[in-house]
Coordinates of all heavy atoms in Angstrom, one line a residue:
M12 N -12.7 11.6 2.2 CA -12.8 10.7 1.1 C -14.1 9.9 1.4 O -14.2 9.2 2.3 CB -11.6 9.8 1.1 CG -10.3 10.5 0.7 SD -9.0 9.3 0.7 CE -8.2 9.7 2.2
P13 N -14.9 9.7 0.4 CA -16.1 8.8 0.5 C -15.7 7.4 0.2 O -14.9 7.1 -0.6 CB -17.0 9.4 -0.7 CG -16.1 10.0 -1.6 CD -14.9 10.5 -0.8
H14 N -16.3 6.6 1.1 CA -16.0 5.2 1.0 C -17.3 4.4 1.1 O -18.3 4.9 1.8 CB -15.1 4.7 2.1 CG -13.7 5.0 2.0 ND1 -13.2 6.2 2.1 CD2 -12.6 4.3 1.5 CE1 -11.9 6.3 1.9 NE2 -11.6 5.0 1.5
R15 N -17.5 3.3 0.4 CA -18.6 2.5 0.6 C -18.0 1.0 0.9 O -17.1 0.6 0.3 CB -19.4 2.3 -0.7 CG -20.7 1.6 -0.5 CD -21.5 1.7 -1.7 NE -21.3 0.5 -2.5 CZ -21.5 0.4 -3.8 NH1 -21.8 1.4 -4.5 NH2 -21.3 -0.7 -4.4
V16 N -18.5 0.4 2.0 CA -17.9 -0.9 2.4 C -18.9 -2.0 2.1 O -20.1 -1.9 2.4 CB -17.7 -0.9 4.0 CG1 -17.2 -2.2 4.4 CG2 -16.8 0.2 4.3
E17 N -18.4 -3.1 1.5 CA -19.1 -4.3 1.2 C -18.3 -5.5 1.6 O -17.1 -5.5 1.3 CB -19.5 -4.4 -0.4 CG -20.4 -3.2 -0.8 CD -20.6 -3.4 -2.3 OE1 -20.5 -4.5 -2.9 OE2 -21.2 -2.4 -2.9
A18 N -18.9 -6.4 2.2 CA -18.1 -7.7 2.6 C -19.1 -8.8 2.2 O -20.3 -8.7 2.2 CB -17.7 -7.7 4.0
S19 N -18.6 -10.1 2.1 CA -19.4 -11.2 1.7 C -19.5 -12.2 2.9 O -18.5 -12.7 3.5 CB -18.9 -11.9 0.5 OG -19.7 -13.0 0.2
F20 N -20.8 -12.5 3.3 CA -21.0 -13.5 4.4 C -22.1 -14.4 3.9 O -23.1 -14.0 3.3 CB -21.5 -12.8 5.7 CG -20.5 -11.8 6.3 CD1 -20.7 -10.4 5.9 CD2 -19.4 -12.2 7.0 CE1 -19.8 -9.5 6.4 CE2 -18.6 -11.3 7.4 CZ -18.7 -10.0 7.2
K21 N -21.9 -15.7 4.2 CA -23.0 -16.7 3.8 C -23.2 -17.5 5.0 O -22.3 -18.1 5.6 CB -22.5 -17.5 2.6 CG -23.5 -18.5 2.1 CD -23.0 -19.2 1.0 CE -24.0 -20.1 0.4 NZ -23.6 -20.9 -0.8
R22 N -24.5 -17.6 5.5 CA -24.8 -18.4 6.7 C -26.0 -19.3 6.3 O -27.0 -18.9 5.7 CB -25.2 -17.4 7.8 CG -25.6 -18.1 9.1 CD -26.0 -17.2 10.2 NE -27.1 -16.4 9.7 CZ -27.5 -15.3 10.2 NH1 -26.9 -14.7 11.2 NH2 -28.7 -14.7 9.8
E23 N -25.8 -20.6 6.7 CA -26.9 -21.5 6.4 C -27.6 -21.8 7.8 O -27.0 -22.0 8.8 CB -26.3 -22.8 5.9 CG -25.8 -22.7 4.4 CD -25.3 -24.0 3.8 OE1 -25.8 -25.0 4.3 OE2 -24.6 -23.9 2.9
T24 N -28.9 -21.8 7.8 CA -29.6 -22.1 8.9 C -29.9 -23.6 9.0 O -29.7 -24.3 8.1 CB -31.0 -21.3 9.0 OG1 -31.8 -21.8 7.9 CG2 -30.7 -19.8 8.9
G25 N -30.4 -24.0 10.1 CA -30.7 -25.5 10.4 C -31.9 -26.0 9.5 O -32.1 -27.1 9.3
D26 N -32.7 -25.0 9.0 CA -33.9 -25.4 8.2 C -33.6 -25.5 6.8 O -34.5 -25.5 6.0 CB -35.0 -24.3 8.4 CG -35.4 -24.2 9.9 OD1 -35.4 -25.2 10.6 OD2 -35.8 -23.0 10.3
G27 N -32.3 -25.5 6.3 CA -31.9 -25.7 5.0 C -32.0 -24.3 4.2 O -31.8 -24.2 3.0
E28 N -32.2 -23.2 4.9 CA -32.3 -21.8 4.3 C -30.8 -21.2 4.4 O -30.1 -21.6 5.2 CB -33.2 -20.9 5.0 CG -34.7 -21.4 5.0 CD -35.6 -20.5 5.7 OE1 -35.1 -19.5 6.3 OE2 -36.8 -20.8 5.8
T29 N -30.5 -20.4 3.4 CA -29.2 -19.7 3.3 C -29.4 -18.2 3.4 O -30.3 -17.7 2.6 CB -28.5 -20.2 2.1 OG1 -28.4 -21.5 2.0 CG2 -27.1 -19.5 2.0
S30 N -28.7 -17.6 4.2 CA -28.6 -16.1 4.2 C -27.4 -15.6 3.6 O -26.3 -16.1 4.0 CB -28.8 -15.6 5.8 OG -30.0 -16.0 6.3
V31 N -27.4 -14.6 2.7 CA -26.3 -14.1 2.1 C -26.2 -12.6 2.3 O -27.2 -11.9 2.1 CB -26.2 -14.5 0.7 CG1 -25.1 -13.8 -0.1 CG2 -26.3 -16.0 0.4
L32 N -25.0 -12.1 2.7 CA -24.8 -10.6 2.8 C -23.5 -10.3 2.1 O -22.5 -11.0 2.4 CB -24.7 -10.3 4.3 CG -24.3 -8.8 4.6 CD1 -25.3 -7.8 4.0 CD2 -24.1 -8.6 6.0
T33 N -23.5 -9.4 1.2 CA -22.3 -9.1 0.5 C -22.0 -7.6 0.7 O -22.7 -6.7 0.6 CB -22.5 -9.3 -1.0 OG1 -22.8 -10.7 -1.2 CG2 -21.2 -9.0 -1.8
E34 N -20.7 -7.3 1.1 CA -20.2 -6.0 1.3 C -18.9 -5.9 0.6 O -18.1 -6.9 0.4 CB -19.9 -5.7 2.7 CG -21.2 -5.7 3.5 CD -21.0 -5.3 5.0 OE1 -19.8 -5.0 5.3 OE2 -22.0 -5.5 5.8
R35 N -18.5 -4.7 0.1 CA -17.2 -4.5 -0.7 C -16.8 -3.0 -0.4 O -17.6 -2.1 -0.4 CB -17.5 -4.7 -2.2 CG -16.2 -4.7 -3.0 CD -16.5 -5.0 -4.5 NE -17.3 -6.3 -4.5 CZ -18.2 -6.5 -5.5 NH1 -18.3 -5.7 -6.5 NH2 -18.9 -7.6 -5.5
L36 N -15.5 -2.9 -0.2 CA -14.9 -1.5 0.0 C -14.6 -0.9 -1.4 O -13.9 -1.5 -2.2 CB -13.6 -1.6 0.7 CG -12.8 -0.3 1.0 CD1 -13.6 0.6 1.8 CD2 -11.4 -0.6 1.6
T37 N -15.1 0.3 -1.6 CA -14.9 1.0 -2.8 C -14.6 2.5 -2.4 O -15.0 2.9 -1.3 CB -16.1 1.0 -3.8 OG1 -17.2 1.6 -3.1 CG2 -16.4 -0.4 -4.2
G38 N -14.0 3.2 -3.3 CA -13.7 4.6 -3.0 C -12.3 4.9 -3.3 O -11.6 4.2 -4.0
V39 N -11.8 6.0 -2.7 CA -10.5 6.6 -3.0 C -9.6 6.4 -1.7 O -10.1 6.7 -0.6 CB -10.5 8.0 -3.4 CG1 -9.1 8.6 -3.6 CG2 -11.3 8.2 -4.7
L40 N -8.4 6.0 -1.8 CA -7.5 5.9 -0.7 C -6.2 6.5 -1.1 O -5.7 6.4 -2.2 CB -7.2 4.3 -0.5 CG -6.2 4.0 0.6 CD1 -6.8 4.4 1.9 CD2 -5.9 2.5 0.6
S41 N -5.6 7.2 -0.2 CA -4.3 7.9 -0.4 C -3.5 7.6 0.8 O -4.0 7.6 2.0 CB -4.4 9.3 -0.8 OG -4.9 10.0 0.4
R42 N -2.2 7.6 0.7 CA -1.2 7.5 1.8 C 0.0 8.4 1.4 O 0.4 8.5 0.2 CB -0.6 6.0 1.9 CG -1.6 5.0 2.2 CD -1.8 4.9 3.8 NE -2.4 3.7 4.2 CZ -3.7 3.7 4.6 NH1 -4.4 4.8 4.6 NH2 -4.3 2.6 4.9
A43 N 0.5 8.9 2.5 CA 1.7 9.8 2.3 C 2.7 9.5 3.3 O 2.4 9.1 4.5 CB 1.4 11.2 2.4
F44 N 4.0 9.5 3.0 CA 5.0 9.2 4.0 C 6.3 9.9 3.4 O 6.5 10.2 2.3 CB 5.3 7.7 4.2 CG 5.6 7.0 2.9 CD1 6.9 6.8 2.6 CD2 4.6 6.4 2.2 CE1 7.2 6.0 1.5 CE2 4.9 5.7 1.1 CZ 6.1 5.5 0.6
K45 N 7.3 10.2 4.4 CA 8.5 10.8 4.0 C 9.5 9.7 3.7 O 9.6 8.7 4.4 CB 9.0 11.7 5.2 CG 8.2 12.9 5.5 CD 8.7 13.7 6.6 CE 7.9 15.0 6.8 NZ 8.5 15.9 7.8
L46 N 10.4 10.0 2.7 CA 11.4 9.1 2.4 C 12.6 9.4 3.1 O 12.9 10.5 3.5 CB 11.7 9.2 0.8 CG 10.6 8.9 -0.1 CD1 11.1 9.2 -1.6 CD2 10.2 7.5 0.0
P47 N 13.4 8.3 3.5 CA 14.7 8.6 4.1 C 15.6 9.3 3.3 O 15.5 9.3 2.0 CB 15.2 7.1 4.4 CG 14.1 6.2 4.2 CD 13.1 6.9 3.3
Q48 N 16.6 10.0 3.9 CA 17.6 10.8 3.1 C 18.4 10.0 2.2 O 18.9 10.4 1.2 CB 18.5 11.7 4.0 CG 17.7 12.8 4.7 CD 18.6 13.7 5.5 OE1 19.8 13.4 5.6 NE2 18.1 14.8 6.0
S49 N 18.5 8.6 2.5 CA 19.4 7.8 1.7 C 18.7 7.4 0.4 O 19.3 6.8 -0.5 CB 19.7 6.5 2.5 OG 18.6 5.8 2.8
V50 N 17.4 7.8 0.2 CA 16.6 7.4 -1.0 C 16.8 8.5 -2.1 O 16.7 9.7 -1.7 CB 15.2 7.2 -0.7 CG1 14.3 7.0 -2.0 CG2 15.0 5.8 0.1
D51 N 17.0 8.2 -3.3 CA 17.1 9.2 -4.4 C 15.7 9.3 -4.9 O 15.1 8.6 -5.7 CB 18.0 8.6 -5.5 CG 18.2 9.6 -6.6 OD1 17.6 10.7 -6.6 OD2 19.0 9.3 -7.6
A52 N 15.1 10.4 -4.4 CA 13.6 10.7 -4.7 C 13.4 11.0 -6.1 O 12.3 10.8 -6.6 CB 13.2 12.0 -3.7
D53 N 14.4 11.6 -6.8 CA 14.2 11.8 -8.3 C 14.0 10.6 -9.1 O 13.5 10.6 -10.2 CB 15.3 12.7 -8.8 CG 15.4 14.1 -8.2 OD1 14.3 14.6 -7.8 OD2 16.5 14.6 -8.1
Q54 N 14.6 9.5 -8.5 CA 14.6 8.2 -9.3 C 13.6 7.3 -8.7 O 13.4 6.1 -9.3 CB 16.0 7.5 -9.2 CG 17.1 8.3 -9.9 CD 16.8 8.5 -11.4 OE1 16.4 7.6 -12.1 NE2 17.0 9.7 -11.9
A55 N 12.8 7.6 -7.7 CA 11.8 6.8 -7.1 C 10.6 6.6 -8.0 O 10.3 7.5 -8.8 CB 11.4 7.4 -5.7
G56 N 10.0 5.5 -7.9 CA 8.8 5.3 -8.8 C 7.8 4.3 -8.0 O 8.1 3.7 -7.0
A57 N 6.5 4.3 -8.7 CA 5.5 3.4 -8.1 C 4.7 2.9 -9.2 O 4.5 3.5 -10.3 CB 4.6 4.3 -7.2
K58 N 4.2 1.6 -9.0 CA 3.4 1.0 -10.1 C 2.3 0.3 -9.4 O 2.5 -0.5 -8.4 CB 4.3 0.0 -10.9 CG 3.6 -0.7 -11.9 CD 4.5 -1.6 -12.8 CE 5.0 -2.8 -12.0 NZ 5.7 -3.8 -12.7
H59 N 1.1 0.3 -9.9 CA -0.1 -0.3 -9.4 C -0.6 -1.4 -10.5 O -0.9 -0.9 -11.5 CB -1.1 0.6 -8.9 CG -2.4 -0.1 -8.3 ND1 -3.5 -0.4 -9.0 CD2 -2.6 -0.5 -7.1 CE1 -4.3 -1.0 -8.3 NE2 -3.8 -1.1 -7.1
E60 N -0.5 -2.7 -10.2 CA -0.9 -3.7 -11.2 C -1.5 -4.9 -10.5 O -1.0 -5.4 -9.5 CB 0.3 -4.1 -11.9 CG 0.1 -5.0 -13.1 CD 1.3 -5.3 -13.9 OE1 2.4 -5.2 -13.4 OE2 1.1 -5.6 -15.1
H61 N -2.7 -5.2 -10.9 CA -3.4 -6.3 -10.4 C -3.6 -6.2 -8.9 O -3.5 -7.2 -8.1 CB -2.8 -7.7 -10.8 CG -2.6 -7.8 -12.1 ND1 -3.6 -8.0 -13.1 CD2 -1.4 -7.9 -12.9 CE1 -3.1 -8.1 -14.3 NE2 -1.7 -8.0 -14.3
G62 N -3.9 -5.0 -8.4 CA -4.2 -4.8 -6.9 C -2.9 -4.8 -6.0 O -2.9 -4.7 -4.8
V63 N -1.7 -4.8 -6.7 CA -0.4 -4.8 -5.9 C 0.3 -3.5 -6.2 O 0.6 -3.1 -7.4 CB 0.5 -5.9 -6.4 CG1 1.8 -5.9 -5.6 CG2 -0.3 -7.3 -6.1
L64 N 0.7 -2.8 -5.2 CA 1.4 -1.5 -5.3 C 2.9 -1.8 -5.1 O 3.3 -2.4 -4.1 CB 1.0 -0.5 -4.3 CG 1.8 0.8 -4.3 CD1 1.7 1.5 -5.6 CD2 1.4 1.6 -3.1
T65 N 3.7 -1.6 -6.1 CA 5.2 -1.8 -6.0 C 5.9 -0.4 -6.1 O 5.7 0.4 -6.9 CB 5.7 -2.6 -7.3 OG1 4.9 -3.8 -7.4 CG2 7.1 -2.9 -7.2
L66 N 6.7 -0.2 -5.0 CA 7.5 0.9 -4.9 C 9.0 0.7 -5.3 O 9.5 -0.3 -4.8 CB 7.4 1.5 -3.5 CG 6.1 1.9 -3.0 CD1 6.1 2.4 -1.5 CD2 5.4 2.9 -3.8
T67 N 9.6 1.5 -6.1 CA 10.9 1.4 -6.4 C 11.7 2.6 -5.7 O 11.4 3.8 -6.1 CB 11.2 1.4 -7.8 OG1 10.5 0.3 -8.4 CG2 12.7 1.2 -8.2
L68 N 12.5 2.4 -4.7 CA 13.2 3.4 -3.9 C 14.7 3.2 -4.0 O 15.2 2.7 -3.0 CB 12.6 3.4 -2.5 CG 11.1 3.6 -2.3 CD1 10.7 3.3 -0.9 CD2 10.6 4.8 -2.9
P69 N 15.3 3.6 -5.1 CA 16.8 3.4 -5.1 C 17.5 4.4 -4.2 O 17.1 5.4 -3.8 CB 17.1 3.8 -6.6 CG 16.1 4.7 -6.9 CD 14.9 4.3 -6.3
K70 N 18.7 3.8 -3.7 CA 19.5 4.7 -2.8 C 20.3 5.7 -3.6 O 20.6 5.5 -4.8 CB 20.5 3.7 -2.0 CG 19.8 2.8 -1.0 CD 20.8 2.1 -0.2 CE 20.2 1.3 0.9 NZ 21.1 0.7 1.7
K71 N 20.7 6.7 -2.9 CA 21.5 7.7 -3.6 C 22.9 7.1 -4.0 O 23.3 6.1 -3.3 CB 21.8 9.0 -2.7 CG 20.5 9.7 -2.5 CD 20.7 10.9 -1.6 CE 19.5 11.8 -1.4 NZ 19.7 12.9 -0.5
N72 N 23.6 7.7 -4.9 CA 24.9 7.3 -5.3 C 25.9 7.3 -4.1 O 26.0 8.3 -3.4 CB 25.4 8.2 -6.3 CG 26.7 7.7 -6.9 OD1 27.3 6.7 -6.4 ND2 27.2 8.4 -8.0
V73 N 26.4 6.1 -3.8 CA 27.4 6.0 -2.6 C 28.6 7.0 -2.8 O 29.0 7.5 -1.8 CB 27.9 4.6 -2.6 CG1 28.9 4.4 -1.4 CG2 26.8 3.6 -2.4
A74 N 29.0 7.2 -4.0 CA 30.1 8.1 -4.2 C 29.8 9.6 -3.7 O 30.7 10.3 -3.3 CB 30.6 8.2 -5.7
A75 N 28.5 10.0 -3.8 CA 28.1 11.2 -3.4 C 28.0 11.5 -1.8 O 28.0 12.5 -1.4 CB 26.7 11.6 -4.0
Q76 N 28.0 10.3 -1.1 CA 27.9 10.3 0.3 C 29.4 10.6 0.8 O 30.4 10.2 0.2 CB 27.4 9.1 0.9 CG 25.9 8.8 0.5 CD 25.5 7.5 1.0 OE1 26.2 6.7 1.6 NE2 24.2 7.2 0.7
K77 N 29.4 11.4 1.9 CA 30.7 11.8 2.5 C 31.0 10.9 3.8 O 30.1 10.8 4.6 CB 30.7 13.2 2.9 CG 32.1 13.7 3.4 CD 32.0 15.2 3.6 CE 33.3 15.7 4.1 NZ 33.3 17.2 4.3
R78 N 32.2 10.3 3.9 CA 32.5 9.5 5.0 C 33.6 10.2 5.8 O 34.6 10.7 5.2 CB 33.0 8.1 4.5 CG 33.4 7.3 5.7 CD 33.7 5.9 5.2 NE 32.5 5.1 5.5 CZ 32.3 3.9 5.3 NH1 33.2 3.2 4.6 NH2 31.2 3.3 5.6
L79 N 33.5 10.3 7.1 CA 34.5 11.0 8.0 C 35.2 9.9 8.7 O 34.7 8.9 9.2 CB 33.7 11.9 8.9 CG 33.0 13.1 8.3 CD1 32.3 13.8 9.5 CD2 33.9 14.0 7.6
T80 N 36.5 10.1 8.9 CA 37.3 9.3 9.8 C 37.6 10.0 11.0 O 38.0 11.2 11.0 CB 38.7 9.0 9.0 OG1 38.4 8.3 7.7 CG2 39.5 8.1 9.8
I81 N 37.4 9.3 12.1 CA 37.6 10.0 13.4 C 38.9 9.4 14.0 O 39.0 8.2 14.1 CB 36.4 9.7 14.3 CG1 35.2 10.3 13.8 CG2 36.7 10.3 15.7 CD1 33.9 10.0 14.5
N82 N 39.8 10.2 14.3 CA 41.1 9.8 14.9 C 41.1 9.8 16.4 O 40.5 10.6 17.1 CB 42.3 10.6 14.4 CG 42.4 10.4 12.9 OD1 42.2 9.3 12.4 ND2 42.8 11.5 12.2

């Protein structure tokens, strides 16, 4: 994935001069991970808005889970 990095730095010298350096990260970013078995992957969703990624990971229906009693 190609990336370009930019950051912003401002430094003033004792002589009244100012040095400015600007850098910024641009490019493509991807992440992958496995969901736990308790997550309903068919109902999972993601939204990216104003630089914030929101994941919605609902749990599977509790009635569908099986509970065992140990005697």
